[in-house]
Amino acid sequence: MSRPTTIETPEAKELALVGKVELRIALTDSDAKLESILTTYLAPLLLKLASDHVSVRNKRIARPSIKLPVAALVKQYKDCHNAIVRHFDLLYIQQGVDRLPVQERLDLLPTLIHGLAENFEESPTHTASLFNVILKLLHHLVLPLRGSTEDVDLRLRLRLAERVLDAEFVASWLGKVILFTTSASGPGSCPGLSAGDCDFLNLYGKNETWTLAGPGNSSSGMNLTETKVIAAKFLSSGAFTEVERFLPALYASADSNSRLSDVGDDMLKRATPVVSLEDHYLLTKLFRVYLGTRGVTGSLPARRSLQTKILALFCRSREATSFVPEILQIVKEALEPQNQSYEHVGSQQPGAAPKQGLDLAKLRAQVFAFTNWAARMGSGISLNALAPTLVSNLRTYIETQGWPQVNNENPGLSMGDLSSRSYCYESIGLLAKAAPTDLLVEPNLDLLRWLFSSLSADTSGTDISISIEQALSSVLTPFAKNTNEEVESSLTDLLLHNMSQKIGERGADGNIRVRSTRYVAVRFANRCLPFHSVKARLLDVLAQTEGPRERGEVLEEGRRGLNPYWYRNLNPLGNSLSTRNDASDTSRYRMPNFVDLIQQFFMDQGTPINLRKRLGFGYSPAITFCRCVLLHQALSSEDKSPVVDAEWNKNIDAMVANDETGRTEIKNHLGNMCSPADEHHYLSTFLYAALEGFIHSGLGDSDSSGTCILEICSLSPGLVLDEIASQVYKLRDAIFANRHSSRTIASHIFGILASRGESTSPHVDSLLHQFSVKIEKWSESVGSEVHEVHGSVLSTAYFLSRRKYLRNDYKLEAADELAFIRLTITILTTGRDKELLDAATLAVGQLSLFGILTSDTIPIPYGVLNLADKLKARAEDGDDNSVLALGHLAMQCDESDEANDVGNSALSRIIEALYNLHEKRQPELQFAVGAALSCAAAGWQSKSLVGLQDVDSGASPRCASRRNTLDMMLEKILSDCKTTKPALRQGSVIWLLCIVQYCGHLAQVQSRLRQCQTAFKGFLADRESLNQETASRGLTLVYEKGDRDLKDDLIRDLVGSFTSTNVGLAGNVSGETQLFEPGALPTGDGSVTTYKDIMSLASEVGDSSLVYRFMSLASNNAIWSSRAAFGRFGLSNILSDSSVDGYLAQNPKLYPALFRYRFDPNTNVRSAMNDIWSALVKDPQSTINEYFDSILEDLLKNILGKEWRVRQASCAAIADLVQGRPIDKYEKHLSRIWTLTFKVCDDIKDSVRQAAMALARVLTAVLTRSLEAGDSSSNTAGVMLKEVLPFLLSPSGLESSAQEVQAFSLKTLLQIIKSSNAKILRPFIPDLVGRLLALLSSLEPQEINYLHLNADKYGMTAQQIDDVRLSSVRSSPMMEAIERCLDMLDDACMKRLQPSLEQALRTTIGLPSRVGVSRVLVSLSTRHNFVFKPYADHFLKLLRKHVLDRNDTISTSFAAACGYVARLASNNEVLRLFDYCKKLYFDLGEDDRHRIVSAELVSAIAKYATDRFASLANDILPFVFIAKHDPNGRTKELFNNTWNENVGGSRAVLLYLKEIVAMVSPYLDSPRWSIKHTAAFAIADAVNAMGVEISTPNAEIIWPSLEKALNGKTWDGKESILEAFITFAKNSELLVSNKMIADRMQSIVLRESKRNNVQYRQHALACLGDFVEIYKGVEWYELVHDITDPLILELLDDGNRMDVDSQTGGPSSKITSEKTLANALRTLLKSIDPALWEAPRLTASLTQTLGLIRKATSRNDKVIKEAVLDGETALFKKLVQKEFNDSLDSVLTQYASTLFEMDDQAEQSRSKAAEAAATLACWASEKSQVHTRLASGVKLALTQERSSSVRQKLQACWKALGYQTRP
């Protein structure tokens, strides 16, 4: 029977398995076996922790710590999701990872990172531990060189490319590590992080996770600072993409640790172009980091530095402006910093004071920049939500500071506060501009009133007022586009209030005005109020009330507001931002109503008032404006509205003066105004106001008011004239005024007004009588009386002529009338005064014009011919009035009936006289002749008289009839137009123009229009521009008056002339034909002018071809001259008319040529072509777009043409053509454009070169805009750069000899570099940097080199000049450009930059370039260390060759560069540099220069590469210690500073003693004295620094070198070595322990004391005395006596020698002798040792010494006395140790006597004598002679001593003698 089978339960099976594993572990007898078992079973065993059975889970293993299978545990953790299993996996992973070899640890990284994001979602606590392990592993990770293949593959090796979520997770938490900080306030508070983030990084409360201590700290936590740096470097590697590392890079760049911020800046610079700042999710993250997240577990706001960085990014994102709540919070916190305390980690109390300073100022500035960005770039919805709150906050901030005056308790705002206040005002303006409907356009105008008040009363300063004006300018345009009637009413009141306020007044709000707001007020009036607003126009008038006292811009703005053309320019139509409809916009331009103007300007509630004083200088502009409005309205009634352009006033003047129809319309309009009584009243009021302005000429231009009266009165109906005529008596003062113009105008007004009515008024009769009296006395008048006669003659003539005409009575019967005529003619014929002659001439003209003065009325003996001759004589002097008077006189002369009597009639004589005036080359005079001829030929039918009929009786005034005069005149003028005489040609063409213009309506002219056309065409090619213009105007008139056939013929001829290049000379060429102006072609003896001259010149030189060359030149001039005439006087209108339906409509090829001619160098041609272009091309934009390629092709074809005019015009045309057009429009032509431009830049003609340079500037601007926009499609930007950069760097650019070209090239290059992004510019950076470095010297002014060579002549040094040059290089724009280029470097670009930089280092010359190279290396080492580090060793090696430059500044710059480059170089290369410094110092060169360079190199490394210097201190500090004793001051200073900054106290020498001695010993025997002395000084200093106890080993090390340093003869400073020797003997044990060394020391000190060097001997004797005291037990006296005795005697014998100053600047010979003698006596006394001698020998020595003492002290020298007393004190101290001996009593009594025998001792000497006496008193016996002598001496001294300190010492001596009571 079989045994039953036992079935084991699952629990039993699991327990069995665990037991077996436990048994295997228990049976292991070595760690190796245990590791093997654990490797196999530990992971499965941990799985049992997830068992369902408690007994299985409770089984545990406990063994000592050994290497664990971490990789398997990590894999199991990732695969298993049981929390318990994972927990224990983590425990073993954390314990085991530190026991693994480094490589095995690093192999875990991919597995640890894999799935980390998913792990975090499952268990943040476990993930925190894993992340902490990853951070530990990063400390061991050696990152490959950036950009290398290994770096690129790192992402694949870590398997991050396939696990993007994990990569993003790791990058995100590494960024949080960078933000993480620890503080005493607790681990849960950190700016930028939430409490959960801090807990995660702090392992949820584990205390020792982090430490801020150094590596030696016992804490097991990681160093936080180092971890941050490592994390940043890991992020910068190829393991992460730019997007992943963007936020961590941002955090790192804002860190205060430069090691971290440098890495962050580099990452951020590379990542920013890749990341989209319009990503809403990214911006949300940034706002959260900036502001934090509120709540208990929320994150704190970021630090200010990071906030500033984030705001800078926001300022580049349009999407960021949509975060309205966040922006409001940002601004609120920036303006209320007292509520923020996040700068201090963990202090979240609201009352905590914020850290103020530079960070806050930067943050506020960036906040305002972001506010401005939001205002400009935000959407309407966002701004409407954002602007009101922001403006309110900003206003509150300003008012908190004090508004408008600063608070009394804070009278002076800081610079930061002022800057913030300025930003606030500007931001308010921009925000209000962005949301005008919510902030500006409201009935109360609260914000606008506030800004006006701020401008007028803010006392913060000028800079603030500029910001306020900018704010007002910002709101101006949006306000103007959104007004309504209610707002306009409020605005008008506000502006009128501000116009009326004056500086210093207190406004209604109580604020005192400190500045004017008039300019801003009138600007608002012109922009925001319609033109028909009479109050707005009143504001423009008020702007001119101050006249010359007002600011120019206020006056100009006021004038613009009164001109509809400028008003329309200020308020253009068709603005897409406008909220008005088109009809509303057009209505703004409507003219104000004349009646409303009169009511506003000159009436108060319907009653006329005198506002002349109130308006001041604005009175005349008000009158003129009302007149223009009145006439404009009158002319507009029949669609004859004057053209509204810049010449609006003049256009009205021209129509009133010359347009007969226009004058009729005005008369009708004024007549209609008189039908309603009210408007008649307004017209009268205006005339009264104008009269007031005219007769009171105190302010402004009164003549303009007079002209208005004259003009309106000549056109007004009788009703108005009758009313105003009652005021005619007021004109008396004006008629008699001193001003000629006032008299003329007043006389004319008087004539019009006084002639009204059937009978004259008493006032008129009185005035006429006064005039008559003054005229009768004309010959006696002088001074002002002449003016009165002048006014009287004119007034009487105007009155008489109008009076007779109105009454139709031309007879002169009254005696006074006949007398006036006779007197007038008498004045004209016999007078000499010009004023009176002018009056008589004008009177004759007026009387003749109105038919009063005829052959019948001229009194005998005068006649018409007499008057004509006199007027002709005056006309020949250039008097226009005389010419017109001749014409008017001719109107009253009859034609002759007999054909043979034509030439003898008065009319013929007058006309002939007018013809003869052609010789006067005065254009104005010739036009007057033309008008006179038209009057003579047509009488009142001539249109030239339209404006002169200023009174109307229903018919024209009387004149003689005409039949043939006009025909004969036309024949004569047409014939003269063909002459070759220049003067007659010019006169004829002008006369012909006048005849056609004034008589063109008559049949005689109409029948000859074709002949006139031919004549005018002949002048288009004339050399005289006036003739061309006249002919052009004439052709226009002919065209207007001709039929269709005539018009087509004219167009055909004109276009043929325009497009032809073979136009010949106009007319036939004869020998007298003048081709050139005199002097235009000089030949030496004269110049070529006529065809005859050309023939003569050709004959003289024997070259017949000259004829053709000159004729070709003249023909070319004719071509261009003819083209210049095209646009004159409306000829362009002919072409414009033809372009619609005539010849030009079928010939579009005209446009390219016409476009080019618009830029012709000739002003006339250019102006003409622009006129034609404006007439032909109604839509320039579409026309140019249609013919763009044709135009550009024509320009490129002609830019290299033969004629310089064409080349210059083509350059200017291309510049205009490409500006403002998309680059793709001409992209295909770009290369050709640049190439041709560069060619023309080298043109032989200067003006062409300038035009080409202008074109180059335009192309550069296009390139710059392209670069700024990042437009690199089709490699356009790169292609353009390839073209332009070589040119800019060529001899035609920066190397050009022309300064303006250099300046342009430099400016352009800087713009290109500034605007380019890295991708486009990188290919050019290597060559660009090298060329710019070379050009730094090339562009330096040559005057600098001259000044450098002759610096002493100007009281300067070359070094001072070099310092200025160095400063200019540092601030040079080219250095800025180079720095910008360096900012764009990447690894590949740096590789290509290396050879370029090497070349620059080797080949550049000149201080600027050399210093520039050093600056580049410094920048690469500091700001671009990542890309430069692989090349640091190479460049450090190169720099060694260049530090020895002859120029000190260059050498210093390269030395500094070495210091910076050493930061990145390897230790070996830095050591080689130190070796080179030692070689420079010890071995190279004999002068000081090499040692200075060595010092500068070492100093630079210590200063700029401190960590490298510290790490290699053992190798360099011994050298520094030695070299700091250099005799050269500069070298010593540099080394000494380096030593002091890198050691901690004087005893640091002991650390490097062996190295110092080993280095210095070989140079103690150097043949170079400077090195030898330096070595000796170093040994001496080392001895002195070793302290008071020198150990025997150290003493044995230094003794040989010290002994060697004292060998040899004496030299300056050797005494310091000897003094160190004494210190060494005193502080070391060698003198006692080593007999041989002691003997050697004794011989050295004796040898040195025997030296004969005078200066050195005194110190040697002193040292001998010190050594005697140190080295006891030796009988020194004989040795010392042998040395000192002859020396003392010698010095005593030389005592009477003359004192001589030292040649080296030291003490004089006497002082030196005294010190030597003093030291000799002191040493001799010290050498006596009573302990070694018996009494007899001691007595003999004392006696011998006493003799020398007495001799020496007899000189009564203080130094000697004190030395003797010091020696005696030392002797007496030794004597005290010896018992009293009677044999010594006598000699010591003599010594005691010497203590009191010295006369006139100083207090110090007396004090030392008392000390010596007290010492001797201790030895003396009570009854000895010494005792007695001391007692008597002390007693006597006490009675005489005044010094308390000396008395105390004497009393002590007295007590030592045994006396208890005072003497």
Side-chain angles (χ1 to χ4, degrees), residues 1675 1677-1678 1732-1742:
E1675 295 186 2
Y1677 180 75
E1678 297 297 337
L1732 299 178
W1733 292 342
E1734 296 297 330
R1737 186 176 178 186
L1738 180 59
T1739 301
S1741 299
L1742 290 173

Side-chain angles (χ1 to χ4, degrees), residues 1455-1520:
C1458 286
Y1460 281 104
V1461 175
R1463 290 181 174 185
L1464 309 177
S1466 63
N1467 287 344
N1468 290 336
E1469 193 59 41
V1470 175
L1471 287 174
R1472 278 192 283 270
L1473 179 61
F1474 285 146
D1475 292 339
Y1476 178 71
C1477 294
K1478 297 173 187 176
K1479 186 176 181 181
L1480 273 179
Y1481 189 89
F1482 291 118
D1483 302 331
L1484 297 180
E1486 294 292 338
D1487 57 357
D1488 296 337
R1489 181 69 195 130
H1490 290 73
R1491 302 199 306 279
I1492 294 176
V1493 170
S1494 176
E1496 289 176 340
L1497 280 170
V1498 174
S1499 177
I1501 298 172
K1503 185 182 297 184
Y1504 305 124
T1506 308
D1507 54 340
R1508 308 307 306 280
F1509 188 92
S1511 65
L1512 302 173
N1514 290 338
D1515 298 285
I1516 190 60
L1517 281 179
F1519 166 62
V1520 174

Side-chain angles (χ1 to χ4, degrees), residues 56 73 338 579 728 822 999 1033 1178 1180 1531 1678 1784 1823:
V56 177
L73 294 173
Q338 64 273 15
T579 59
V728 72
R822 180 178 295 277
C999 304
R1033 175 60 177 162
K1178 302 305 180 183
T1531 307
E1678 297 297 337
L1784 298 176
K1823 296 182 178 180

Side-chain angles (χ1 to χ4, degrees), residues 4 196 202 260 327 367 469 600 766 1333 1391-1392 1473 1499 1517 1756 1858:
N202 212 39
L260 195 55
I327 296 175
V367 167
E469 287 187 359
Q600 183 66 52
S766 175
L1333 288 172
K1391 186 175 182 180
R1392 290 185 291 108
L1473 179 61
S1499 177
L1517 281 179
N1756 200 25

Side-chain angles (χ1 to χ4, degrees), residues 691-704:
L691 183 61
E692 284 293 319
F694 177 59
I695 63 180
H696 297 91
S697 57
L699 296 174
D701 180 15
S702 61
D703 287 351
S704 62

Side-chain angles (χ1 to χ4, degrees), residues 596-613:
D596 294 338
L597 280 176
I598 298 303
Q599 288 180 330
Q600 183 66 52
F601 286 5
F602 306 112
M603 303 181 73
D604 184 13
Q605 296 181 354
T607 303
I609 56 174
N610 189 347
L611 295 177
R612 186 173 53 82
K613 292 185 179 180

